Amino acid sequence: MKVGLIFGTRPEAIKMAPIYHKLKENNIETKVILTGQHKEMLDQVLNIFDIKEDYNLNIMKQNQSLSELTSRLIKKLDEIIKNESFDYILVQGDTTSAFVGALVGFYNKVPICHVEAGLRTGDIYSPFPEEANRKLIGSLTQIHFTPTNITKENLEKENYKPKNIIITGNTVIDALKWVKENKKKELKQIEKKYELKNKKYILMTMHRRENIGEPLKNVLRAVKKYLEKKPNIFLLFPMHMNPNVRDIIFEELKDLKNKILTEPAGYLEFISFMDNCEYIMTDSGGVQEEAPTLGKPTLVLRDTTERPEALIGGTAKLIGTSEQKVLEYMYLLEGDMYKEMSTANNPYGDGNASSKILDVIKKDYDEK
């Protein structure tokens, strides 16, 4: 059996890493095809998890449109997939790389396995282009590895065959537990570097396309108002490299004293940041999944989410980006809401998703 893993961003690499290791442990020929969106951040994750790339397309360039990205990916991936003759191609999540990987795999009649399948907001433009990407990937997929009952139901509503939809949990939990067990020394060093044990802080990330501009400004104004009255609480904000994001952060928070603005955090750094914070404010999807494992309440700075499990389970609150609403929830977290959210059960699995995925692929291959 030969398996191709196609990914290009840091979140994809994190969620693919446990699968990569399971395939290797079982002596399954595995080829890693990097599309190369997040070069520096991606390299960090590859090093942490000891992932060896076989191809790197280095596809990103400045101000590249989605149309140009898609066309370039199609050509480069087609050459590789034709040459390799894979038995399966695995793509993860909802990036354009994942969609094009599934599309080109389909063109070459290679079975597609979609890891983290079935997430939906119901609005094709929110998030953009991710909602469309995951729906399109679904239509090309042979085996849907879906993290929860809700995501399974989403796929069944779209008339995918139940036998092809497998609930596994989310591989991000596998990765997080692996790091907590195998990188204890490194995590301790990060705590010391940033003096995390000596600070009470809120961790914040915000960079989605739909939030750049007024939404980000509104949230930061609320955070500033709150923290100006709480001088002993800090804001820790690892900033995205996008200058449009950074310019707003610098402008809105220039007079706030109790802030820590850092460069984009490495994977180990971010785990340490999450593990030691009071709570998290974010528009990131992956953080919504990781936070419950660490017992951290999460305020989701979006109007929609494709991860309702966290809302239903009580680990996250969808609060939008209005200044008034953000401020309201920051004060609410001073009360009973904090305990309720921090002790809620993790809806995203037990850390064995990659083993379940491997078992299904092996069984499917043996039955052919």
Side-chain angles (χ1 to χ4, degrees):
M1 188 196 319
K2 185 192 285 191
V3 176
L5 305 181
I6 299 175
F7 57 92
T9 66
R10 183 175 81 166
E12 287 175 300
I14 292 165
K15 292 180 178 183
M16 283 290 213
I19 301 170
Y20 171 85
H21 283 297
K22 286 295 176 187
L23 291 166
K24 289 289 189 179
E25 287 167 13
N26 284 268
N27 297 314
I28 294 171
E29 187 176 0
T30 305
K31 299 290 185 180
V32 172
I33 305 168
L34 302 181
T35 52
Q37 283 94 315
H38 296 175
K39 178 165 174 38
E40 291 183 6
M41 293 190 290
L42 183 62
D43 287 346
Q44 291 174 3
V45 173
L46 299 180
N47 289 333
I48 290 166
F49 289 102
D50 194 26
I51 296 174
K52 308 299 182 187
E53 67 185 67
D54 296 283
Y55 299 93
N56 193 328
L57 307 187
N58 292 312
I59 204 72
M60 292 308 291
K61 63 180 184 180
Q62 201 165 7
N63 298 320
Q64 182 172 224
S65 71
L66 288 172
S67 298
E68 184 180 0
L69 171 62
T70 300
S71 64
R72 293 176 67 213
L73 279 170
I74 287 174
K75 183 177 180 182
K76 292 194 174 190
L77 286 173
D78 191 57
E79 293 172 359
I80 295 169
I81 292 171
K82 276 185 167 59
N83 182 58
E84 287 289 354
S85 299
F86 293 118
D87 294 294
Y88 298 93
I89 287 173
L90 272 66
V91 297
Q92 191 283 325
D94 51 25
T95 64
T96 299
S97 290
F99 162 56
V100 177
L103 179 65
V104 178
F106 166 74
Y107 284 164
N108 287 277
K109 297 186 178 180
V110 181
I112 304 300
C113 301
H114 188 196
V115 178
E116 200 178 30
L119 279 69
R120 299 289 187 270
T121 65
D123 181 349
I124 202 167
Y125 290 106
S126 179
F128 177 85
E130 289 85 357
E131 177 76 357
N133 284 341
R134 52 190 169 229
K135 287 175 71 71
L136 291 164
I137 294 168
S139 66
L140 302 167
T141 293
Q142 177 170 310
I143 305 175
H144 308 263
F145 293 119
T146 192
T148 67
N149 280 314
I150 289 175
T151 49
K152 182 176 188 287
E153 290 167 5
N154 288 341
L155 292 169
E156 288 175 342
K157 288 174 186 174
E158 295 175 7
N159 296 317
Y160 293 108
K161 294 178 181 178
K163 69 174 184 177
N164 296 334
I165 306 169
I166 314 297
I167 299 175
T168 61
N170 199 305
T171 57
V172 77
I173 309 303
D174 302 35
L176 180 57
K177 288 189 172 183
W178 185 91
V179 166
K180 290 276 287 180
E181 181 62 32
N182 292 281
K183 299 292 179 179
K184 293 177 182 177
K185 181 180 177 181
E186 292 86 344
L187 293 174
K188 285 290 183 185
Q189 289 172 342
I190 293 165
E191 285 178 12
K192 289 180 181 179
K193 176 182 176 181
Y194 289 94
E195 300 179 340
L196 300 180
K197 291 295 186 183
N198 301 321
K199 288 186 176 71
K200 187 175 182 180
Y201 65 90
I202 299 163
L203 175 61
M204 182 174 171
T205 71
M206 198 172 178
H207 66 267
R208 298 189 78 90
R209 292 175 193 235
E210 64 264 31
N211 278 339
I212 298 174
E214 287 305 312
L216 177 57
K217 291 178 184 178
N218 291 336
V219 171
L220 291 174
R221 287 165 187 163
V223 170
K224 183 181 178 184
K225 282 184 181 179
Y226 179 82
L227 290 177
E228 282 177 337
K229 295 181 179 180
K230 310 282 181 179
N232 294 324
I233 303 176
F234 286 79
L235 175 71
L236 175 55
F237 198 148
M239 298 179 295
H240 196 273
M241 291 303 296
N242 187 336
N244 296 321
V245 173
R246 295 164 79 93
D247 289 348
I248 292 172
I249 295 169
F250 287 132
E251 178 61 28
E252 294 296 332
L253 299 181
K254 62 184 177 183
D255 298 323
L256 182 66
K257 294 181 180 179
N258 43 329
K259 66 178 185 289
I260 306 168
L261 304 181
T262 75
E263 293 304 309
Y267 180 52
L268 294 183
E269 282 185 315
F270 198 75
I271 288 176
S272 187
F273 290 172
M274 287 194 294
D275 207 15
N276 290 280
C277 74
E278 294 299 305
Y279 61 88
I280 301 168
M281 303 175 68
T282 187
D283 61 3
S284 164
V287 174
Q288 295 174 54
E289 298 158 349
E290 292 168 319
T293 300
L294 302 173
K296 302 301 176 179
T298 304
L299 300 181
V300 182
L301 305 169
R302 292 171 59 182
D303 296 320
T304 60
T305 181
E306 58 281 3
R307 292 169 172 85
E309 298 88 351
L311 307 182
I312 295 167
T315 64
K317 300 289 182 184
L318 186 68
I319 68 169
T321 58
S322 80
E323 183 177 333
Q324 180 181 351
K325 199 78 169 176
V326 172
L327 200 55
E328 174 189 342
Y329 271 90
M330 293 182 79
Y331 279 109
L332 283 171
L333 274 175
E334 294 179 355
D336 292 340
M337 181 186 289
Y338 183 91
K339 183 177 180 181
E340 293 169 4
M341 294 179 71
S342 62
T343 57
N345 291 328
N346 185 351
Y348 294 110
D350 57 8
N352 292 307
S354 53
S355 293
K356 295 171 186 174
I357 288 169
L358 175 66
D359 289 344
V360 171
I361 291 173
K362 286 171 67 177
K363 183 173 184 289
D364 186 78
Y365 182 78
D366 290 342
E367 290 177 351
K368 287 185 176 178

